[in-house]
Amino acid sequence: MTSEITLFVNPTAGRGRGAHAAQPAASALRAAGFSVRTILGENAQDALTRARAAVEGGTGALIAVGGDGMANLALQAVAGTRTPLGLVAVGTGNDFARALGLPVRDPAAAGRLIAESLKGALLRDIDLGRVGDTWFGTVLASGFDSRVNDRGNRMRLPTGRFKYDLAMLAELAAFKPFPYRITLDDGKVQEIEATLVAVGNGSSYGGGMRICAGADLTDGLFDITVVGDCSRTTLLKVFPKVYKGTHLGHPKVTVHRAARVELVADGITGYADGEPLGPLPLTADCIRAAVRVALP
């Protein structure tokens, strides 16, 4: 493997932590003998174009510095190649890094770990989800949670996580379950009323909400968590349990495993790794060993 590697940096991640994190991560990598170049990009599309060019040019690794959004963007460049992906997780949620057991908000430690992994060839192939040409590492969200995202993204004020807390309260006020049609692998179409349907390659979203707590990044299957037609009161009781994954034992919650899932519902946007995919219907496939990652 070449000693020339690429830092893929989101300077605005974690309210500016991305810009500050790049330097200690780069220092750790250079101390280990790597030559480091940095990609910023004028916007997401320009950054992705530059990252893809680095991968095609033979960079030894692409190291995403930022949060889950930056990790997701990096996946679009490295998925399906043999170029290793490293994560310096300094965003707000960092769910992909958590799923991989990587350091969070410690860029120097992340840089040292990546250097050790690359030098020792301690790399692991993991699964990814794919919707059309778009890859994702953690969870495809649809339903109540994605409606909260929609509303939060439309709000200019307040800023930060509090905006989404307010968006959740507003969505609760208008809450009702959604009619879904779900098809798992080549099975029959299931018509259900559901609060949300989450398709998990990884276990969590939203900064540690373990919506698909049993998901395994290497089994070639999604964990599909369906929260049924619960009332507003039941939702308020169940939702806090998602941080420990204990919501999975509630009678209104069911979990399925499949390599392919089709979701059909009106008025719902799908989000993957916190990024909008577009309105349902959407079909997601779990692709085995789609990306090589640097791990402890």
Side-chain angles (χ1 to χ4, degrees):
M1 185 190 71
T2 176
S3 63
E4 296 180 358
I5 60 177
T6 304
L7 279 187
F8 189 38
V9 181
N10 179 1
T12 65
R15 300 184 184 180
R17 283 192 296 269
H20 295 294
Q23 184 174 351
S27 295
L29 289 160
R30 289 190 177 106
F34 289 97
S35 173
V36 180
R37 63 179 295 238
T38 300
I39 291 174
L40 290 173
E42 296 179 5
N43 51 48
Q45 187 55 53
D46 179 57
L48 178 56
T49 298
R50 293 169 186 258
R52 283 175 167 157
V55 171
E56 291 169 4
T59 186
L62 186 68
I63 315 300
V65 184
D68 285 325
M70 199 61 179
N72 179 270
L73 197 60
L75 287 177
Q76 312 314 311
V78 298
T81 75
R82 305 313 293 163
T83 302
L85 171 69
L87 295 179
V88 178
V90 292
T92 302
N94 304 309
D95 287 285
F96 196 29
R98 293 177 201 275
L100 293 168
L102 298 172
V104 171
R105 297 181 186 171
D106 190 342
R112 289 192 296 270
L113 183 151
I114 292 166
E116 292 169 5
S117 177
L118 294 175
K119 292 183 76 172
L122 302 175
L123 305 172
R124 187 179 184 189
D125 293 334
I126 64 166
D127 306 336
L128 293 177
R130 187 175 65 194
V131 176
D133 294 327
T134 302
W135 301 88
F136 66 94
T138 57
V139 177
L140 190 168
S142 74
F144 175 76
D145 44 7
S146 65
R147 292 289 287 268
V148 170
N149 255 327
D150 283 341
R151 185 180 289 270
N153 290 343
R154 293 194 300 268
M155 296 167 62
R156 297 184 63 186
L157 293 172
T159 59
R161 295 293 294 270
F162 186 54
K163 174 170 66 174
Y164 293 94
D165 293 337
L166 290 181
M168 181 178 290
L169 291 174
E171 284 298 322
L172 276 171
F175 170 74
K176 61 179 181 179
F178 309 97
Y180 275 87
R181 283 180 288 149
I182 302 174
T183 308
L184 304 177
D185 292 329
D186 296 322
K188 294 181 179 179
V189 176
Q190 303 177 41
E191 296 189 5
I192 62 170
E193 295 277 323
T195 300
L196 64 86
V197 179
V199 180
N201 181 56
S203 59
S204 71
Y205 61 6
M209 299 170 70
R210 302 183 68 231
I211 188 69
C212 300
D216 183 337
L217 290 167
T218 61
D219 65 356
L221 298 171
F222 292 126
D223 274 32
I224 300 111
T225 299
V226 179
V227 179
D229 58 342
C230 57
S231 66
R232 186 183 296 113
T233 301
T234 300
L235 180 60
L236 286 169
K237 290 180 180 178
V238 172
F239 212 73
K241 296 181 179 181
V242 77
Y243 286 97
K244 293 184 177 180
T246 54
H247 64 293
L248 298 181
H250 194 277
K252 286 290 186 179
V253 179
T254 56
V255 177
H256 309 273
R257 289 189 171 88
R260 181 179 179 90
V261 56
E262 180 181 1
L263 303 176
V264 180
D266 292 330
I268 294 177
T269 301
Y271 284 77
D273 296 342
E275 302 297 313
L277 284 173
L280 272 57
L282 293 172
T283 299
D285 292 287
C286 186
I287 308 300
R288 277 188 178 272
V291 68
R292 179 162 286 184
V293 293
L295 290 176

